[in-house]
Amino acid sequence: MTAEQVNVGFDDDEKRPSSRDDSHEIDESATSIPILDPNAEKRLLLKLDTYFVPIIMLVYLTCFLDRSNIGNVKVAGMPEDIGASPKQFSTAVSIFYATYVVFEAPWSILMKRITPRVLLTGLCTVWSLATIFSGFIHNVAGLFAVRLVLGGCEAGLFPALNLYLTMVYKRHEQGMRVSYLFVCTAISGAFGGLLAYCILKMDGIGGFAGWRWVFIIEGICSFLIAPVIWFGLPNNPTEAWFLTEEEKAMMKVREAQRAHYMGSEDFDSKEIRIALKDPKLYLSGAIQFCQDILLYGFSTFLPSILVNMGYSSIQAQYLSIPVYIFGGICFIAFAYVSDRTCVRGPLLFLANIPGIVGYILILCPTSNGVKFFGTFLCAIAVYNGPGLNMTWLNVNFAPHYRRATAIGVQQSIGNTAGIVAGQIYRTAPYVLGNAFSVGALGVVQLIITTNWFYLRYLNGEKKKIESGEKEDTRKVKSGDRATDFKYHL
């Protein structure tokens, strides 16, 4: 950090890293901030990624494993053992999202008050126990009960982790970090299939069926992550234990640079109301809903889709691994380009095109090899869609409580798709589920286009107000509504 001081102002070139102010004017009294040495800031970012990212990824990985393992045990005889009909099993998949969508916004808004450490550790502990208890159920009622508890606890994880990332990283740094979360969904699919493949070989050990061991072992793994969260994620990232005094000072400067974006730490119900009246929240929520239909249908039922292609249940477990890995790699590539260019909507639109082709190949009377190839194309849209859209929302809402509300509500809207996914993927050959998914992709392309033009219009209006071409008659002029806050398109 140099002693040189500069006036704080917004730089429209979002691609320029480090030294530029990430969010424009901090307040009327703060007219200058220190310049950070770009190389020193890169080293700081590398250190933050080294400590924070593995923990965040590990937590979300185990969370998604506990959520999606119901798809792995479906082909291993679990419904038959507990007397669940295909309809009842689909209901069990869907009922998870009943509590999930209800609790997302409250957990998101309460994170600051409860503190990230207490909230995330507590939720992880409870959902781990719910997963372990899933291995001891003997009827459909027990399955419904554990799924409801699981949904209510896991609801707080993704919004809270998203908010935590905004406490650490600037706007142009967030796409890659959000991508790490969604890569975990791909890894969990791949690792979950491999893990289930291995654990199912324990069938009969201790008098337990293999599917019971899947729940028990994966639940224990999640339970062991809770202490890692407690000791690894500080409530205030700027005072993290692994930072030197110089690095903590740099974090304070970065915090000042994005102060306009982060906003006040104090709770303000006005910001919640502003977010709830914002059209771009509901456009983003509609996009997330359509994209999540793919995410939850694909991640939960891919083993079943592969079994329908003629593969055995064991083959389906390990054949799903390369599909998930490919989807994760593609998302990292798209997120990297998105952060470098600060382009969000067009890349989201582009990523959905292979998905449309993939679902059509699966639906058409093609060979099993072609259908399997189609699953790889689907994976591009499955993981890029929700992740890129989540980043698009993150960087376009400010300050903190307005963004917290937006993330929670958007996720609640989007995750109702989990209820739909459980109902459309009921019986083989899953024509309804795959047809519904490709239809959702067609609809979402229109919504993405609408959102892009709306944000472009808002940026144009701000430009006119700044230049004096138009009078500013807007009721809300703070946070992301400030004229110097440019929306990412």
Side-chain angles (χ1 to χ4, degrees):
M1 184 170 60
T2 72
E4 182 181 357
Q5 302 289 306
V6 292
N7 289 333
V8 177
F10 180 63
D11 183 353
D12 280 331
D13 182 8
E14 291 282 8
K15 292 177 282 186
R16 185 185 303 169
S18 307
S19 60
R20 63 130 171 77
D21 168 33
D22 196 52
S23 56
H24 345 333
E25 302 215 4
I26 297 171
D27 59 50
E28 294 181 1
S29 61
T31 58
S32 63
I33 54 173
I35 292 178
L36 292 178
D37 175 66
N39 292 326
E41 190 168 18
K42 286 181 181 178
R43 290 193 295 271
L44 174 62
L45 280 173
L46 179 60
K47 192 169 188 179
L48 292 171
D49 288 343
T50 301
Y51 282 89
F52 284 141
V53 170
I55 296 173
I56 290 172
M57 289 185 68
L58 188 61
V59 176
Y60 197 63
L61 171 63
T62 56
C63 165
F64 212 82
L65 272 175
D66 291 345
R67 179 192 315 181
S68 60
N69 55 18
I70 192 170
N72 298 113
V73 300
K74 178 180 186 293
V75 297
M78 188 267 264
E80 293 78 9
D81 284 357
I82 65 171
S85 67
K87 182 177 180 180
Q88 289 173 322
F89 185 83
S90 295
T91 301
V93 173
S94 297
I95 204 172
F96 169 90
Y97 298 96
T99 48
Y100 195 98
V101 299
V102 169
F103 285 100
E104 276 185 301
W107 287 136
S108 179
I109 293 170
L110 290 171
M111 187 190 79
K112 280 283 187 182
R113 288 193 171 186
I114 299 176
T115 72
R117 174 182 285 171
V118 172
L119 176 66
L120 292 171
T121 304
L123 293 178
C124 181
T125 301
V126 178
W127 88 59
S128 301
L129 293 174
T131 303
I132 293 171
F133 292 150
S134 298
F136 298 93
I137 58 174
H138 292 281
N139 52 50
V140 176
L143 178 61
F144 287 172
V146 293
R147 294 290 291 177
L148 285 170
V149 173
L150 199 64
C153 293
E154 291 196 6
L157 181 67
F158 190 75
L161 290 179
N162 256 291
L163 278 174
Y164 197 86
L165 289 174
T166 66
M167 294 165 62
V168 180
Y169 299 101
K170 298 179 182 178
R171 293 174 76 201
H172 69 286
E173 299 165 350
Q174 289 179 25
M176 277 296 294
R177 279 74 189 185
V178 171
S179 79
Y180 298 145
L181 291 180
F182 278 93
V183 164
C184 286
T185 66
I187 295 174
S188 73
F191 184 65
L194 179 62
L195 188 60
Y197 173 76
C198 296
I199 297 176
L200 287 173
K201 293 183 178 294
M202 296 175 63
D203 188 50
I205 295 178
F208 290 121
W211 65 264
R212 294 186 184 276
W213 282 115
V214 170
F215 283 125
I216 294 169
I217 292 177
E218 291 186 4
I220 291 173
C221 290
S222 295
F223 188 80
L224 296 176
I225 300 302
V228 178
I229 301 173
W230 180 264
F231 293 106
L233 294 182
N235 289 326
N236 183 3
T238 63
E239 296 291 336
W241 59 270
F242 56 83
L243 297 175
T244 65
E245 291 305 315
E246 182 181 355
E247 289 167 339
K248 289 179 181 179
M250 291 175 66
M251 288 292 286
K252 294 290 185 183
V253 174
R254 284 169 55 85
E255 188 177 43
Q257 288 175 344
R258 68 183 196 281
H260 188 53
Y261 170 65
M262 286 302 297
S264 171
E265 299 289 310
D266 299 327
F267 177 76
D268 188 351
S269 60
K270 178 184 176 183
E271 297 297 344
I272 295 176
R273 292 194 297 271
I274 292 172
L276 293 175
K277 293 178 182 179
D278 197 326
K280 67 180 186 286
L281 166 58
Y282 299 102
L283 285 170
S284 180
I287 294 170
Q288 199 73 8
F289 174 81
C290 293
Q291 302 284 178
D292 278 353
I293 285 177
L294 276 67
L295 178 64
Y296 295 129
F298 193 84
S299 62
T300 303
F301 293 97
L302 180 59
S304 298
I305 293 172
L306 292 175
V307 167
N308 183 64
M309 292 180 185
Y311 300 105
S312 69
S313 61
I314 295 296
Q315 287 175 318
Q317 302 291 358
Y318 64 74
L319 284 176
S320 64
I321 295 172
V323 180
Y324 291 126
I325 292 175
F326 178 74
I329 292 172
C330 288
F331 185 27
I332 290 176
F334 271 81
Y336 175 79
V337 174
S338 181
D339 270 357
R340 294 287 292 178
T341 62
C342 285
V343 171
R344 312 298 181 181
L347 285 173
L348 174 56
F349 187 97
L350 180 65
N352 281 332
I353 295 174
I356 293 172
V357 176
Y359 278 105
I360 290 174
L361 291 178
I362 295 173
L363 285 166
C364 290
T366 54
S367 66
N368 285 338
V370 173
K371 290 181 186 294
F372 184 53
F373 172 71
T375 63
F376 284 85
L377 297 180
C378 291
I380 299 174
V382 165
Y383 295 108
N384 272 288
L388 290 176
N389 185 53
M390 187 74 251
T391 304
W392 203 8
L393 175 111
N394 278 358
V395 300
N396 285 333
F397 273 86
H400 174 83
Y401 278 102
R402 196 181 305 179
R403 183 168 53 258
T405 304
I407 290 173
V409 172
Q410 186 238 44
Q411 286 295 294
S412 291
I413 294 172
N415 282 310
T416 56
I419 301 173
V420 177
Q423 301 306 307
I424 60 178
Y425 281 94
R426 281 193 174 184
T427 55
Y430 306 109
V431 173
L432 175 61
N434 292 323
F436 203 100
S437 295
V438 75
L441 280 173
V443 172
V444 79
Q445 297 293 70
L446 296 175
I447 306 173
I448 291 168
T449 303
T450 302
N451 195 40
W452 187 88
F453 276 107
Y454 178 63
L455 292 172
R456 184 169 177 264
Y457 164 77
L458 292 178
N459 279 343
E461 290 296 291
K462 290 181 178 183
K463 189 173 182 180
K464 290 178 183 179
I465 293 170
E466 273 190 314
S467 65
E469 182 181 342
K470 183 177 181 179
E471 182 184 357
D472 192 355
T473 58
R474 301 172 303 156
K475 293 182 179 179
V476 180
K477 303 176 184 179
S478 63
D480 62 82
R481 306 290 181 87
T483 55
D484 59 352
F485 189 107
K486 309 305 180 190
Y487 295 119
H488 286 194
L489 300 180

